[in-house]
């Protein structure tokens, strides 16, 4: 009898959205997945960063550091960051500060590398429609990633838009955003399937899971919290458009 392949859930950019995280974790559990990796940006934007961090610490095998994690932990001085830091407290901020920046492992004989934003660092952004060269550079070894085996599969978060791209013998995927998606207003995460830590070639897949969650519950939590930038946050959750951008209205002749 063939042994079932191992499955790994990759969650990213929760941004303090507790209802979205709870929905995603329920879906992960329903699929029987027990290994979860996080790609950072646990807090910031949404109101429930403390709860999200506490849950992530419990359920994730490893979480890598995101740009919001670093900014909050290192004491960004703007009013928004100050508000979120107060909700987290010193112990959680220390946890964010000490998160690793990259994670490497083997899957079905292939090298997998996970990080938050790019091979150049947590603040270097790579989008879905950037150039082929930009995407291929995600597979490079740098001082940020370390100089181990070059990856065959790279997964990241940061831009809140989920996609999968393949190149010759390589695969790049973005896990999207659990709590602040900016492509479709559905919570999103990625699933890797294969032989975990397996050195021999074997089947493997990358897939994206999108699911509805109670957006209005997230909005109610944000309203009750008194968090800053509330209007922007509400628009992003409801429209999945950055800062609530909406198309310009059509001009009607006459």
């Amino acid at each position: 009898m063939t042994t079932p392949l191992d499955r790994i859930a990759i969650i990213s950019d929760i941004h303090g959205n507790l209802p979205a995280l709870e929905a995603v974790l329920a879906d992960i559990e329903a699929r029987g997945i027990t290994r979860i990796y996080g790609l950072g940006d646990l807090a910031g934007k949404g109101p429930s960063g403390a709860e999200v961090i506490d849950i992530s610490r419990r359920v994730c095998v490893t979480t890598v550091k995101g740009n919001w994690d670093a900014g909050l932990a290192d004491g960004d001085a703007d009013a928004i960051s100050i508000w979120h830091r107060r909700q987290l407290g010193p112990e959680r901020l220390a946890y964010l500060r000490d998160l690793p920046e990259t994670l490497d492992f083997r899957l079905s004989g292939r090298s997998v590398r996970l990080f938050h934003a790019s091979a150049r660092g947590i603040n270097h952004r790579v989008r879905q429609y950037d150039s082929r060269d930009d995407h291929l550079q995600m597979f490079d070894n740098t001082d940020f990633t370390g100089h181990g085996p070059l990856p065959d599969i790279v997964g990241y978060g940061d831009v809140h838009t989920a996609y999968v791209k393949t190149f010759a013998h390589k695969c790049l995927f973005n896990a999207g955003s659990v709590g602040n998606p900016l492509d479709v207003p559905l919570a999103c995460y990625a699933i890797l399937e294969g032989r975990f830590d397996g050195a021999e070639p074997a089947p493997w897949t990358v897939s994206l899971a999108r699911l509805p969650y109670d957006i209005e519950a997230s909005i109610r939590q944000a309203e009750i919290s008194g968090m800053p930038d509330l209007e922007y946050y509400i628009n992003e959750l409801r429209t999945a458009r950055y800062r609530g951008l909406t198309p310009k209205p059509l001009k009607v002749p006459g």
Side-chain angles (χ1 to χ4, degrees):
M1 184 174 66
T2 304
T3 304
L5 297 174
D6 303 305
R7 288 184 294 171
I8 304 166
I10 313 293
I11 63 176
S12 188
D13 294 272
I14 306 166
H15 282 292
N17 187 337
L18 185 59
L21 175 60
E22 291 174 337
V24 163
L25 293 179
D27 189 71
I28 290 170
E29 182 178 8
R31 295 172 189 262
I33 301 173
T34 57
R35 180 176 293 272
I36 305 173
Y37 291 133
L39 301 187
D41 277 8
L42 303 178
K45 286 198 168 189
S48 303
E51 294 89 340
V52 165
I53 289 172
D54 293 344
I55 293 171
S56 296
R57 292 174 75 169
R58 185 175 73 248
V59 302
C60 292
V61 177
T62 303
T63 295
V64 299
K65 185 186 297 184
N67 57 298
W68 272 84
D69 304 320
L72 292 173
D74 294 338
D76 281 354
D78 61 277
I80 295 171
S81 295
I82 290 171
W83 187 92
H84 287 290
R85 283 204 305 277
R86 286 174 178 164
Q87 314 310 308
L88 302 184
E91 195 277 334
R92 293 187 187 92
L93 291 172
Y95 165 75
L96 295 181
R97 187 176 299 111
D98 292 337
L99 288 174
E101 294 179 319
T102 63
L103 172 66
D104 290 78
F105 58 93
R106 301 283 291 177
L107 184 78
S108 293
R110 304 183 74 81
S111 297
V112 181
R113 177 171 290 161
L114 304 177
F115 42 64
H116 178 69
S118 84
R120 291 172 56 180
I122 59 175
N123 293 305
H124 178 253
R125 188 149 289 160
V126 176
R127 297 175 175 84
Q128 178 178 1
Y129 298 109
D130 284 346
S131 71
R132 177 183 175 87
D133 285 345
D134 287 334
H135 289 154
L136 288 175
Q137 287 173 14
M138 298 285 271
F139 298 89
D140 289 347
N141 280 339
T142 66
D143 289 342
F144 174 76
T145 65
H147 296 276
L150 287 169
D152 306 298
I153 302 168
V154 167
Y156 75 112
D158 184 55
V159 293
H160 300 207
T161 56
Y163 68 92
V164 179
K165 283 195 173 185
T166 56
F167 307 91
H169 309 294
K170 296 182 182 295
C171 177
L172 174 68
F173 73 92
N174 188 289
S177 172
V178 169
N180 187 221
L182 296 177
D183 48 5
V184 180
L186 298 169
C188 186
Y189 70 101
I191 300 171
L192 286 177
E193 191 169 14
R195 300 288 182 212
F196 178 72
D197 207 24
E200 298 300 319
W204 61 273
T205 62
V206 179
S207 60
L208 300 172
R210 298 183 189 266
L211 60 147
Y213 72 96
D214 194 340
I215 291 175
E216 297 308 311
S218 297
I219 289 172
R220 288 193 297 273
Q221 290 179 1
E223 290 172 335
I224 292 169
S225 75
M227 58 172 274
D229 265 7
L230 178 62
E231 182 179 352
Y232 288 131
Y233 182 67
I234 290 172
N235 284 337
E236 286 184 350
L237 294 194
R238 286 177 174 162
T239 68
R241 294 175 65 84
Y242 181 64
R243 291 298 180 184
L245 293 175
T246 55
K248 292 182 178 179
L250 295 175
K251 292 184 178 180
V252 180

